[in-house]
Amino acid sequence: YDLIIMGGGPAGYNAAERASHEGMKVLLFEERALGGVCLNEGCIPTKTLLNSAKIYESALHGAPFGVTVSGASIDHAAVVDRKDKVVKTLVGGVGAKMRSAKVEVINKTAVIKGKSSEGFTVTCDGNDYTAKRLLICTGSEASVPPIPGLREAVESGLAMTNREILDIRVVPKRLCVIGGGVIGLETASYFNTVGSEVTVIEMLDKIAGPTDREISKILQSNLEKKGVKFILGAGVTAVSGKFGAGRVSYKAGDKEAQIDCDAVLVSTGRRPRTKDIGLEGVGVKTERGAIVTTECGRTSVPGIWAAGDVNGRSMLAHTAYREGEACINDMMGRKDAVDYRAIPAVIYTKPEVGTVGETLESAKKLGINASEHTLSLRYSGRYVAEVEGGDGIVKVVVDDDHKTVIGVHMIGSYASEIIYGAAAMVAGEKRVSDVQKLVFPHPTVCEVIREAMFTI
Ligand code: NAI
């Protein structure tokens, strides 16, 4: 083969298709279903669930809009059935894509065996396969912190990661979420809507990790209004019990307390999957468990590239696509580099959060002379027409020395769909005056970004 790819998630399957179009003979190994975490137990299933929650919420809260629905209900098991159908369709789609691109797929685990004069050898089920180049896209897995009782709780079914919780067919009456990052918040949002009493325990003093602090606060207050409880600045110290009768102990400052719950979600981050894939044998450099890569995906070993969560850089499916492409371009001798400054990130809660680039806080840390400019989404006619009492905002971060847009942060309707336009501004180093001259469609929520440029 010209190229062996280990892992058929967004990084791997997209790179396989690109490489094949470049004329390479490609072999792709995937031990589970094609599509990886994103398609099978991440992005797609959660968006399917959250869309059902959105439809249900609209039915419940239509009164201010003159719409009353009586007897609205949500059938969680039916939502999960639909999610399975959506996942099956899309996984099938990736398979069809691989067949039409003439990528050979082996549905088994592969391990790097070594280097030879012909390239690299990978072993799978007792057979060896050799290729000139290797692309490692083995992804990431949920990290389960060493909290007393947690591992046992995962084994007994009381505690779940993103993988298991998407398949449960009963709604836990009380759900305790450990970790208020993206997975924790999206899952909390869904289960709150379908009837769970949700408590999120977060170690930091804010939710949503690196998200702009003001936007995190707006998100938290929106979720609190719906009944989600947050315990911030708290570390979980123990987990015990079984599904339906669990207990989570935590320490916040000097205070120690417990909450009783029926189920626990562990969403304390993910770690790259670099163990037991044979990296040591060929000397690929890792740092804190992640493969060290350059901006075009080269590893420390010439001929081996890596893309996606396994490099621990951004851990987002859309970054993975781009990284895989950069690797293929580099293999083809074309100069390429992923622009990590302009990667959009979205939290698909209601309201949605969309962010790209620097926050004022991160810009200051980098020594950039920056300022932020915030505008309420109520400047948008469409937002006022569609949202009752909305408190969404958009925040533009500007490099004051160059008058360029270096960050856009938004909470409110359509943020997930709008943010790519802002990413284009950040990636293109657009000046405030450039964006002022762009024509935005009216009436839309994205117009507020343009409006914000005139407050600078
Ligand atoms: P995360 O890193 O976003 O959040 C984990 C949170 O858990 C952090 O806020 C951390 O402070 C907290 N934490 C860690 N240990 C704790 C403890 N012992 N007690 C209490 N809190 C603790 O990780 P998450 O949410 O698991 O997501 C993993 C990855 O998946 C992320 O890289 C994320 O970007 C990606 N993802 C992206 C989505 C999207 O783009 N919409 C959706 C879901 C996941």
Side-chain angles (χ1 to χ4, degrees):
Y1 299 91
D2 295 307
L3 173 64
I4 287 179
I5 301 179
M6 293 167 69
Y13 76 71
N14 187 47
E17 194 187 18
R18 296 283 188 271
S20 186
H21 287 165
E22 297 289 354
M24 291 192 219
K25 189 171 182 232
V26 185
L27 173 61
L28 173 71
F29 287 99
E30 169 54 59
E31 61 187 9
R32 296 171 72 95
L34 283 172
V37 169
C38 165
L39 240 170
N40 294 283
E41 57 203 51
C43 321
I44 300 299
T46 50
K47 263 75 273 174
T48 314
L49 263 54
L50 286 164
N51 187 52
S52 291
K54 214 188 259 179
I55 295 170
Y56 177 53
E57 265 192 48
S58 299
L60 290 182
H61 306 299
F65 303 90
V67 181
T68 316
V69 180
S70 57
S73 66
I74 185 160
D75 176 349
H76 174 65
V79 175
V80 175
D81 284 344
R82 179 168 182 274
K83 179 270 291 180
D84 289 343
K85 216 169 70 188
V86 169
V87 169
K88 199 170 162 216
T89 305
L90 293 172
V91 169
V94 175
K97 217 178 214 194
M98 294 301 97
R99 282 191 296 279
S100 80
K102 305 218 168 8
V103 171
E104 194 179 326
V105 178
I106 297 182
N107 258 128
K108 286 196 177 117
T109 306
V111 177
I112 304 168
K113 197 171 172 186
K115 196 174 174 336
S116 70
S117 55
E118 286 155 59
F120 300 93
T121 303
V122 160
T123 182
C124 168
D125 236 6
N127 297 314
D128 287 350
Y129 303 83
T130 303
K132 291 183 199 119
R133 311 170 186 90
L134 205 55
L135 173 57
I136 304 167
C137 307
T138 45
S140 64
E141 60 196 354
S143 82
V144 177
I147 295 169
L150 184 55
R151 205 156 280 280
E152 292 81 351
V154 170
E155 276 157 24
S156 78
L158 164 65
M160 289 166 270
T161 68
N162 61 297
R163 176 175 289 172
E164 299 83 32
I165 200 152
L166 289 167
D167 285 331
I168 55 168
R169 274 156 203 278
V170 289
V171 175
K173 203 171 161 303
R174 300 157 305 172
L175 174 66
C176 177
V177 174
I178 309 178
V182 202
I183 295 183
L185 294 172
E186 291 185 357
T187 313
S189 179
Y190 173 78
F191 280 99
N192 165 252
T193 307
V194 298
S196 298
E197 288 167 28
V198 182
T199 306
V200 178
I201 303 179
E202 167 57 53
M203 208 146 71
L204 304 176
D205 65 347
K206 70 187 268 281
I207 59 166
T211 307
D212 172 86
R213 197 167 274 276
E214 192 179 351
I215 288 182
S216 293
K217 269 200 186 134
I218 296 174
L219 177 59
Q220 185 179 335
S221 87
N222 272 274
L223 293 174
E224 277 170 346
K225 272 184 216 145
K226 294 183 194 179
V228 179
K229 291 194 187 81
F230 289 93
I231 301 169
L232 302 184
V236 171
T237 51
V239 178
S240 60
K242 55 179 187 188
F243 188 89
R247 172 163 282 192
V248 175
S249 309
Y250 63 90
K251 198 166 177 228
D254 295 335
K255 188 182 149 219
E256 281 184 55
Q258 290 93 31
I259 57 167
D260 292 328
C261 60
D262 297 290
V264 174
L265 170 72
V266 195
S267 47
T268 50
R270 299 184 62 83
R271 60 159 182 250
R273 286 193 57 202
T274 48
K275 258 198 203 152
D276 305 326
I277 56 170
L279 292 182
E280 311 73 24
V282 277
V284 170
K285 191 175 166 207
T286 59
E287 244 171 50
R288 275 179 278 126
I291 296 182
V292 178
T293 56
T294 64
E295 255 81 278
C296 61
R298 287 186 195 179
T299 68
S300 58
V301 177
I304 304 184
W305 284 257
D309 285 10
V310 75
N311 67 25
R313 277 174 175 258
S314 144
M315 291 206 173
L316 293 166
H318 43 279
T319 310
Y321 283 137
R322 179 70 191 99
E323 287 175 340
E325 287 165 4
C327 292
I328 304 302
N329 281 335
D330 192 49
M331 290 173 201
M332 299 307 294
R334 286 192 292 264
K335 205 170 179 304
D336 198 358
V338 177
D339 185 355
Y340 288 99
R341 297 165 317 154
I343 291 177
V346 172
I347 309 175
Y348 294 85
T349 40
K350 193 169 176 242
E352 294 180 346
V353 175
T355 66
V356 65
E358 304 301 336
T359 59
L360 185 62
E361 207 176 315
S362 67
K364 292 228 155 117
K365 272 190 198 145
L366 291 172
I368 300 170
N369 176 26
S371 58
E372 64 176 18
H373 309 269
T374 306
L375 215 55
S376 162
L377 292 190
R378 299 184 67 76
Y379 276 82
S380 152
R382 184 177 189 191
Y383 186 76
V384 176
E386 293 185 357
V387 182
E388 272 297 304
D391 54 0
I393 59 166
V394 66
K395 192 175 263 198
V396 177
V397 181
V398 173
D399 175 333
D400 286 331
D401 291 337
H402 303 94
K403 292 281 173 255
T404 48
V405 178
I406 56 168
V408 175
H409 310 272
M410 197 175 165
I411 180 164
S413 329
Y414 313 112
S416 57
E417 297 289 345
I418 292 170
I419 204 66
Y420 91 94
M425 294 170 201
V426 174
E429 299 180 1
K430 291 291 166 207
R431 283 192 299 263
V432 171
S433 58
D434 296 327
V435 184
Q436 285 174 341
K437 288 174 197 141
L438 287 179
V439 180
F440 285 63
H442 174 78
T444 54
V445 177
C446 65
E447 285 176 290
V448 183
I449 295 180
R450 183 176 185 276
E451 196 73 31
M453 298 293 160
F454 287 93
T455 66
I456 297 166

